[in-house]
Amino acid sequence: MPLDAIDMAILAELQRDGSLSNVELARRVNLSPSPCLARVRALERVGTIRRYVALVDPEALGLGVSVFISISLREQNTATLAEFERRIAAHDEVMEAYLMTGDADYLLRVVVPDIRALERFILERLSPIPGVEKIRSSFTLKQVRYKTALPLPAGAGRAAPRRSGTRR
């Protein structure tokens, strides 16, 4: 589905605040509510908008340790990769997982309450996965930047101003 300036404006606003009411979203992108809702539904239907979530502060939940874990597997065949991915998907501590090029096969971002929880996670959950050869951890000292909004093309997010006497 090709995206026009209004679609981009809708995406920009929803990335800033997914809890906007349709009326407020329509106001911000200079549309009337009905066409705005139709556009949002179309973006959802084709999968451009995947879902809506609330971003929760990990510290508020006692999840003070954020770790990046590099995993190297003994073999990189389809069955080994699929089994590893299936096993790590079962663990809520794994926030992100990427199949990588370079030195490691996978890069995981894991959040846990403390070092002991990380130790248990590595020893009881990662190490027993068949095919795991190396596990390397890097602790975050400080989160310098965190965002969820994807970069939109330059100028996106600014709908054309309404002309007086016209409705969209």
Side-chain angles (χ1 to χ4, degrees), residues 113-126:
D114 52 39
I115 298 300
R116 288 181 195 202
L118 176 64
E119 178 185 17
R120 282 191 308 278
F121 178 77
I122 290 172
L123 295 177
E124 297 170 13
R125 303 217 170 129
L126 284 183

Side-chain angles (χ1 to χ4, degrees), residues 91-103:
H91 302 299
D92 290 339
E93 300 93 336
V94 178
M95 301 303 297
E96 299 175 69
Y98 300 95
L99 179 61
M100 304 293 291
T101 62
D103 295 334

Side-chain angles (χ1 to χ4, degrees), residues 87-165:
R87 299 276 294 266
I88 61 164
H91 302 299
D92 290 339
E93 300 93 336
V94 178
M95 301 303 297
E96 299 175 69
Y98 300 95
L99 179 61
M100 304 293 291
T101 62
D103 295 334
D105 295 308
Y106 287 93
L107 180 63
L108 311 179
R109 184 172 71 87
V110 173
V111 294
V112 291
D114 52 39
I115 298 300
R116 288 181 195 202
L118 176 64
E119 178 185 17
R120 282 191 308 278
F121 178 77
I122 290 172
L123 295 177
E124 297 170 13
R125 303 217 170 129
L126 284 183
S127 295
I129 297 174
V132 169
E133 183 173 59
K134 286 185 190 171
I135 299 172
R136 291 175 295 283
S137 302
S138 297
F139 292 86
T140 63
L141 298 177
K142 176 175 90 171
Q143 187 176 69
V144 176
R145 181 170 182 170
Y146 176 77
K147 65 181 219 152
T148 60
L150 295 172
L152 298 174
R158 290 188 288 265
R162 279 192 187 179
R163 286 177 271 215
S164 64

